[in-house]
Amino acid sequence: QTVNVTGVVLDDDELGLPGASIQEKGTGNGVVTGLDGDFSINVQPGATLVISFVGFASQEIAVGNRSNLRIVMQPDLGALDEVVVIGYGTMRQEAVTGSVASIGGESLREVAAGNVTEALQGRLPGVQISQTSTQPGATQQIRIRGTRSLTASNDPLIVLNGIPFAGSISDINPENIESLDILKDASATAIYGSRGANGVVLITTKAGFKGQQARVSYSGFHGPKTVFSPYPMMDANEFMQMRDAAGLFQNEGASESRDVNTDWQDLFYQTGTMSNHDVSVAGGGEKSTYSFGLGYYHEEGVVPTQQFDRFSMRAAVDQEIGNHLRIGFNTNNNFSTTQGSQVGLYNVLSMSPLASPFNPDGTRRRVINMPQDDTFVLTRDRLNDIDGQWLNETRAYATYNAVYAEVKIPGVEGLKYRANLGLDYRQSNQGEYTGMGINSPNEETLSTAAVGNSHNFHWLMENLLTYDKIFADKHIFNVTALYSTEQNTFYSSRMTGRGMLSDQFQFYNIGLATEEIQINPGDQQYNQWGLMSYMGRVMYSYDDRYMISATLRSDGSSRLSPGFNWHTYPAISAGWNVSKEPFMNNFTNIDMLKLRVGYGQTSNQAIAPYATLGGLGTRPYNFGDDTYAMGYFVNSLPNQNLGWEYSETWNIGIDFDIYNRRLTGSLEFYDTQTRDILLNVTLPATNGVGSYTANIGETQNRGVELALNGLILEKRDWSWEAGVNVYVNRNKLLALASGNQRDESNWWFVGHPINVIFDHRNIGLWQEGDPHRDILEPGGNAGMIKVEYTGGFNDEGVPLRAIGPDDRQILDLQPNFMGGFNSLLKYKNFDFTIVGMFNSGGVLISNLHSSSGYLNMMNGRRNNVSVDYWTPENTGAKYPAPGGLASGDNPKYGSTLGYFDASYLKIRTMTLGYNFDQTGNWMSAAGISRFRIYGAVQNPFVLFSPFNRETGLDPETNSFADQNTAVQGPLPSRLLTIGTNAPATRNFIFGINLTF
Amino acid sequence: CTDILEETPRATFEPSFFQTQEGIQGGLTSMYAHLRYIYGQAYFYNTTLTGTDEVTYAQSADQNFLVMDLSGQGDIDPNSSRADVLWNAAYSNINTASGIIEFASEVGTSDALIAEARFFRAFDYFQLVQTFGGVPLDLGAGELEFNITPSRTSTRNTVPEVYTKGVFPDLVRAINDLPDAPRLTGTATKTLARLYLAKAYLTYGWWLENPNNIPTYPDTPRVDPDGHNPQWYYQQAYDIALEAIANPGPFRLQETFYDVNVAQNDRNMELLLYADHTETSEFYNAGSLTWGNGEAPDNFAGWMMTWNYTVLRSSRSNTTWTNDVESVRREAVQALGRPWTRMAPTIGAITNTFADKTNDSRYDGTFTTVYRANIGRTTPIPGPVYNANFLPVQDGDAILTFLNEQPAQAINFPSPFNLGANLGAGTLPGRSDFVMGPNNISRIVYPGLWKLGPYRTDSGTGLGEPNAGSTRPFNIAKFSELYLIAAEAAVKGATGPQSARDLVNVLRARAGVWRWDNNGNQPKIVDNSALMVAATPAIIDINYILAERSREYYGEGYRWYDLVRTQKWNELAGTYQIAGRNYGDRTAQTITRNIQPYHYLRPIPQSQIDAMEGDRAGYQNPGY
């Protein structure tokens, strides 16, 4: 005869403690607490329970006649206390055998940011966050341990509260995040199978816990955003001097005058703002928990009209019904608007500083006339004038929902069945309108309007069986089995119209367009993909000393060819907690030392649906003015054998904790080989069809990651903690299409990283009298760019040929190492935080300086980046002589001017905070349990950056290679560059956190 | 539940669509549309003209143009040559044509439709073989077979193989199966196929004869696999051209040369083939109607020989030259358009080729020589406006005139050059327009190419949309060329009812007929046919044919092919004259080109070589 005792185990912050062990003293009977710290155990009447959890002092509690217990654990100083989410479960950090990096919500919020990616920058080793845009609301690119795939996606899987996330990461409000865990190696990601091939980001949002009184929190921040540094363009004097040096454009355009000096950027930028408000309430009853939150984020860019707004709402409810059933749901909803992406900077930067924004009569100029170009004038005042006549708005609504039910199988202690149902929907509506004559030199250019809609439906059904058992106090088993199916359907449509009757219609009634209304078939999209999976995982640990985890997963994908679309792969990892061995007892300085090793395979199916089928290109055509027809031709070939791309990873790690927790850290090594890479292969023109997708090629990523955290100082009122992470990733292409060593059309070369530059090597400038210029550069001039000649010489040392395409070289872009650091200094109630990141070596591509940007043409046609250029009197300059030998509109080899040393060290944020005392003052009288205020400056300064030293600009990238440039140069669009996107900003923030 | 692993695309086609009736139709349309990726594409256009006696590079020329001039401004190489445009557009079209030919009979397509595909396959091969020498007939599935297997290797056939397998049989079949009248505006006809077969025979005849010992590649003896000699091919060319003239279907010469090229008469019945464009639909035009970026499928060839006339200035004051009225603004009319200043006519083209500017209407119907004030267009520039000699000018008056002849009285060129309409132009007493003589033509100030100027009906009272690609068709083949093909064949020894002189005179007589003085901007009803015919030399030689071709087709993309076919490139274009690239440069310089025998073939594009695997040596034309 037993009695059932239920309860919840809480940590010292009264948060549920999952994975805590509940043992009936003196028996082998025990259970482990669930996700929220809850447990249920059948014990003999009068039993005593032993509650233990690593990092906390064990407690013994006599049950007495109680049937529900609320146990608050106190930390056991000198022990680790972290719990990590590992996918389909949680685990004590100590027992983790795979590579998992974690950061808590509080640490994440040390960088006030609108989205998770921004907050994550530089925080975790092996997690590279790169900026792809600087516009409000933009998210950044996440790469976990480098780039594996050539054309397939390299984005990690985001899992929100256990459900693979089908939306945009900007839809997740950082304020809601309780914890964020990143699974890096295959042994950890294998449970997510093919979806986890590029790593997994597990995001857990805040929840209530049992027996918690309703707790209301508010957090908010607000502050201005200012331009970090304007783009370094020439002023009137410099510009005139360059025209003179070039001997070109000597007669000014109609709007130009030698006595004018206009700083167009100064007339353009505004002070932006960012602000965030978030209110949440959480609580719990005896058998239920709930939480609810509302958030509003608002960001205005320094580029006028660029703006991002997000309203978010989330709720989570968990209810136990009887002793065996638990149900719940959580929902995250948001509505966002993004505005102003139509406003580009190229015109602002390229306008002549000799042109005035005003007509002689004082009215604003619509257009300025330069010698060869007429440019629509963009200033903040003009943008104000044409408010409502020029807009681009995207409104998106997204709802991400998970419903679950969990049944404890009666009769088998520790066996549970859980069903998860994920239902997500995201729709976005984009509208564009450009009024008559707007952004055109011609006043009568017809207005255009466009509307695009997209819908994404995603459902996921997971069936999970878990079995937790502890035998003989020392053998802890966790077994998980999964069967899941998932389907995603995307549908989008778009229409455009020309010649709207009136500005007031904007894009709201394209049916009223007076000219053509277009529904371009290329803009109408539909795709659907499905995935079926089986997975099993066994985790076993013995005496907290030896741990092993084994996973087997099988995935079937709709995207791959029938017969090749299933793949099964294993993963296994083991850990040895050396410090628990008896022979370590003498090493008292070592609190924890653990060795981990893991091996696993993961797969990647991340190609677009229907890639196996081939496709037709379309070419609309007119036969005379009134007969229209659509042309079709084969532009991609089918591949009936398209199968999985897969990676094998080895991971070795050491975790340690020494000197009584003064120094903790981990060191990891990994080696990933990716095979059968899914590749869109460019075929020679003579094949008759441009490309096809195939399993071709092999890549390797090897790396080292080190994370250290130290408590450097701890005195009465003082404490100082600091952390640093450093990581290195070495990427290499091991094989390409059928044994090829080089694919010059895609810039892929065996033995080199996936991302390289294939270009001439700039070795300075040709000087007057340098030998062999006539041979190497026919038609060239002194002061032109000198690139390395790789050809042969005759006996007299004379080059055999002119410099040509054979002299292009493979230039490595990879940094030597990257990382981040953080420091927390506390004095009494004050705290001061610094978060920074750094990058050593590698190549930063600036399209501002390269020929793609058309801002360094060195001829005076349009304004130019302010650079030190060659003249007969200034032969030591870095940049070529104006007006010299050109290739296209730019100096010959102008692309090489865009390569800079990418090194930098950057302070992301400095925050000074103050926590008001809780005890015995006005706060408790007002019911306030926590009150903190802080001020922060983001992006205050950059050090050790050659690019920053030369240009004053932020050395972080802001665009893909095909964005924010005048023309698409030879760079593959996957590379990240600095282009003419909204300038980087320096933000000043004031914030409050308040809890009742 | 395995349904979720099955795929049904709902917004795109699979290649199998190609095997349906609708797919065949779509395939045919795409073949016409592929013309836009070659014709009207200015960089390719440039390869057909820059470096010939017609055209040199202009002030704003970039490498694409400079290297083509072969005058020491960089080399033509596999990267810099823009003949890649043809290479990259042709093979997918050849493959589409092979697909249609293969599948059409299965789905019951008429022979006439299949013949359009045959025409295009032959057309592309003919363009390729003239440009690159021997090219592959096998794309991966066998010679002239539809290829849907990836192949990263390629083997070039020889020139005779390409002609005898890839060009002649399809055209012979096409002549048989195509209709007399086009199926839709601008589609292929018997007459079109005859023109190309005649031209292909003529070109192949020259190749077999090889009078100047120009190398070919892949190397092969100048022997016809079908056993014919050059003479046989010249005669065939003559016979087929005359057959086409005798059975023209709906095609005919226009009354005047002006009518051939004036935009209001686009798609007239002298035109056999063009890459069409329209302003009635931005979508089917496949290019913006307001702003062109200078890339296919836009027709932006006309920008290249348009110099920057917007630099022209008049004066607001009639006492001191204030240089402050932009009297000729950028406008979407045939005489103006978007200035890119990339290509310029040589002085020789103006003074020698078009020596007769009075009787022969073709100079007036080719160039813009008078730049007229458009100050009345919205937004109007209020007067009074003063121009040369401080004389007042009105909207529509000449601001700058390129004189037909160097005047007897020396032109007064004021200094500094901004006093000369802001660009170094001169004055003559009593004239309110600034003037330039033919010998003053420079790389920065030169007559524009009127033929290819834009034309829009939607400009209203304003300047219109000069920055869009041209919405006019880009003409590729004309009925008139049949006369010149037959005449050239006759010069090469072909015999028949009409002599070379007879044939040339048909076009010369027409050139003497005026109904409109284009640059005078007024009617001109004059018939100088008799004078034109009388001026034709008694003995026509190949150089005369070439000069006549230049007068007829100046700036339309024929010239390099004409000079290469006849092996006269170096002889006729080895030197040229033009003044420098700065305002105020008015003194003609003589420039020598370095035209080598290997230049008679363009390099195989680097992108082809880069994407190939296996043995790539030997694929490139020697010399590059």
Side-chain angles (χ1 to χ4, degrees), chain B residues 33 35 112 164 266 278 297 307 314 332 353 417 515 527-528 540 550 553 573 608 613:
Chain B
L35 294 172
T164 57
D266 277 342
T278 182
W307 63 285
S314 301
T353 309
F417 64 80
R515 74 171 181 87
D527 186 347
N528 295 325
I540 306 274
S550 193
Y553 308 121
Q608 166 73 22
E613 66 182 22

Side-chain angles (χ1 to χ4, degrees), chain A residues 295-344:
Chain A
Y296 171 60
Y297 177 76
H298 172 78
E299 187 178 349
E300 270 171 53
V302 293
V303 171
T305 78
Q306 292 191 346
Q307 192 168 318
F308 175 75
D309 285 279
R310 179 184 59 215
F311 298 87
S312 53
M313 184 185 85
R314 73 191 157 81
V317 172
D318 182 287
Q319 178 72 51
E320 279 173 30
I321 300 169
N323 288 333
H324 297 291
L325 179 62
R326 193 173 141 223
I327 58 169
F329 76 91
N330 62 66
T331 176
N332 281 272
N333 302 277
N334 67 71
F335 176 76
S336 65
T337 53
T338 311
Q339 294 174 46
S341 60
Q342 84 281 9
V343 181

